[in-house]
Amino acid sequence: MSRIVDRCDPGYRAWIAEAIRLVDADANRSADTHLHVFPLPPEWGIDLYLKDESVHPTGSLKHRLARSLFLYGLANGWIRRDTTIIEASSGSTAVSEAYFARLLGLPFIAVMPASTSPEKIQLIEFHGGRCHLVADPSAIYEESRRLAAECGGHFMDQFTFAERATDWRGNNNIAESIFEQMRLERFPEPSWIVVGAGTGGTSATIGRYARYRMFQTRLAVVDPEGSAFHGSFADGDPGRTAAGSRIEGIGRPRVEPSFLPTVIDRMIRVPDAASIAAMRWTSEVSGRSVGGSTGTNMWGAAELIAQMRARGERGSVVTLLCDGGERYAGTYGSDAWLAGQGLDIAPYLAALDGFLKTGTMPDVTR
C-alpha cells in the first residue's frame, strides 16, 4: 500500500486566497503612475519623461517591489497568517512592506542602517512596522536572518528575490507601463531608459522586457559613489565590495544577487554632490519634489541627452521619479547636513543650469 504524506490545509489555502485578494485589490485601487514631461527646449528634438512612482500609496517605486515580494512569498507558501515579516532595507522598501504587512495583519520588522533618515523611520512606524537599527550597513543581511530564525519569521530578502518576484514579461510591471504610456508620444520607443540599481530588480525587469518585446531601447543604470555595482560592471567581478552609498535606495556595499549586468547597456557613476544638486534642480525646474535617487537618475539622463545632442540625434529618454523629497528634508534638503558631509553642490548646480541653456554638460564629475 502506498504511503501518503498529505499536507493539504484548506484553512491555510483559504487564508492565502484572501491575502492575495487583498494585495491585488490594493493594486486595483491604485491607478497607474503618471508619466510627466520634463521641460526641455523643443528645438532640441529630444524629449525627457519622468515616471512618477511617488504617487503609489506608500510614496515610492518600492511599492511595486513590496507588492511583488508579498505575492511571491504567499504563492510559495512562505508567509502564513501568523508570520513575522522581516526585511533588510535602507528605508523605502521597508515603508512599503510595512504597509502590506499591516494590510494582511502581520507583524513587520525593518532591519536598517542607523544612518537611515528619520523621516523614513517615522513612515515605517506609521504603517505599524518596527525598526531594528544596526551600526554597520553590511550587517543588515545576517541580522535579518538571525531575527527570522529567532522568531520563526520570514526574511523577505529583497536583494535576492527582487528580480525573481517581478513578472518581467508583463502583468503591468513598470516596463510594460512605460512603453504603453509612451505609445502616443512623438518618439514612442525611448532611446534610453535610465534607472538606479538598489536591489537590481527594476533594471532587470526593464532590461528583460525590452529584449522580450524586441525594442531597441537601451538601458542605462546610474550608480552613486561608494557603490559596488559600477566597479563590478566595469571589471566583471561579482565579488566586488565597496564602502556603500549615501544616496538612500540605490547603491550597495556589495553586488546583490538580483543585479543582472547582462541586461544593462551602460553604467554611469554619479558623485553624491551631483545627485543632490540634480535632486534640488529637478524639484525647482519641474515643480515636483523629488528625492536623492531621482537626482542620480536625472544627472545620468542629462549626460545622455547632452551626448545625443552632440551627435545630432533625436529621440526620447525616460527615467524614474522614485520618491518625494520630503523624506530627505533633514539630509539632502539641508545645507547644514551637506556642510557636515563635506559636499559642495555648487559646481553641479551650475552645470545643470548650463545644460538647460546650451544642451551641453561639462565634465565636473572627476
Side-chain angles (χ1 to χ4, degrees):
M1 184 176 178
S2 299
R3 297 188 64 186
I4 297 173
V5 178
D6 191 339
R7 291 178 178 162
C8 180
D9 183 343
Y12 175 48
R13 289 292 290 271
W15 182 84
I16 288 178
E18 175 62 8
I20 290 175
R21 184 194 69 78
L22 288 168
V23 174
D24 281 345
D26 174 83
N28 197 48
R29 287 192 301 271
S30 307
D32 199 5
T33 59
H34 306 305
L35 191 66
H36 302 300
V37 178
F38 186 84
L40 294 180
E43 64 270 18
W44 288 7
I46 300 173
D47 299 327
L48 174 59
Y49 301 84
L50 285 90
K51 186 154 178 64
D52 188 358
E53 296 295 290
S54 72
V55 298
H56 284 294
T58 53
S60 84
L61 168 66
K62 300 300 186 178
H63 195 84
R64 291 182 188 268
L65 174 58
R67 181 190 297 135
S68 294
L69 288 168
F70 268 89
L71 290 172
Y72 193 64
L74 288 163
N76 284 335
W78 297 340
I79 300 173
R80 307 183 76 89
R81 69 178 77 220
D82 58 350
T83 301
T84 297
I85 305 298
I86 295 166
E87 183 61 283
S89 172
S90 62
S92 287
T93 302
V95 173
S96 299
E97 288 186 6
Y99 170 91
F100 282 106
R102 185 169 69 173
L103 185 69
L104 303 183
L106 302 174
F108 178 77
I109 301 172
V111 181
M112 309 163 68
S115 59
T116 301
S117 69
E119 292 86 356
K120 284 187 178 177
I121 292 171
Q122 290 165 10
L123 280 171
I124 292 164
E125 293 173 343
F126 171 79
H127 289 298
R130 179 163 67 88
C131 298
H132 182 88
L133 304 180
V134 296
D136 179 4
S138 67
I140 61 175
Y141 316 97
E142 286 308 314
E143 186 64 7
S144 296
R145 293 187 185 94
R146 185 191 69 78
L147 286 174
E150 185 178 275
C151 69
H154 172 57
F155 173 29
M156 292 288 258
D157 197 358
Q158 59 167 324
F159 298 109
T160 295
F161 295 112
E163 58 90 4
R164 307 179 200 181
T166 302
D167 186 353
W168 50 268
R169 290 164 295 189
N171 195 22
N172 196 34
N173 66 34
I174 192 168
E176 183 176 59
S177 176
I178 287 170
F179 282 99
E180 176 59 26
Q181 289 176 320
M182 286 292 295
R183 189 169 51 85
L184 299 180
E185 301 302 314
R186 66 169 174 166
F187 304 112
E189 185 173 324
S191 299
W192 290 95
I193 295 178
V194 183
V195 301
T199 61
T202 300
S203 57
T205 298
I206 293 172
R208 285 165 162 169
Y209 183 87
R211 286 159 175 74
Y212 178 62
R213 295 295 183 190
M214 296 172 285
F215 293 115
Q216 295 307 303
T217 299
R218 290 161 290 176
L219 175 64
V221 172
V222 289
D223 202 36
E225 66 178 80
S227 172
F229 290 128
H230 183 277
S232 173
F233 185 81
D235 63 19
D237 178 10
R240 270 262 192 168
T241 59
S245 169
R246 285 182 289 197
I247 305 301
E248 290 184 24
I250 56 173
R252 301 297 304 162
R254 70 175 193 180
V255 181
E256 302 295 350
S258 278
F259 178 69
L260 299 183
T262 51
V263 304
I264 298 168
D265 295 291
R266 181 179 298 181
M267 286 201 73
I268 303 168
R269 174 167 283 164
V270 180
D272 289 345
S275 294
I276 296 166
M279 164 190 158
R280 295 188 179 190
W281 174 80
T282 301
S283 296
E284 180 180 347
V285 173
S286 71
R288 302 181 186 280
S289 175
V290 309
S293 57
T294 303
T296 313
N297 289 342
M298 286 295 288
W299 183 271
E303 284 196 349
L304 289 169
I305 290 168
Q307 292 161 13
M308 290 173 67
R309 293 234 331 128
R311 293 190 295 267
E313 296 176 12
R314 295 163 62 86
S316 58
V317 176
V318 178
T319 192
L320 306 183
L321 196 169
C322 304
D323 60 7
E326 66 279 353
R327 297 185 174 192
Y328 311 96
T331 52
Y332 313 142
S334 165
D335 290 341
W337 184 87
L338 290 180
Q341 296 288 318
L343 292 171
D344 179 11
I345 66 173
Y348 302 99
L349 283 172
L352 290 164
D353 288 339
F355 165 72
L356 268 189
K357 294 185 178 109
T358 66
T360 62
M361 283 281 284
D363 186 3
V364 293
T365 62
R366 295 186 184 277

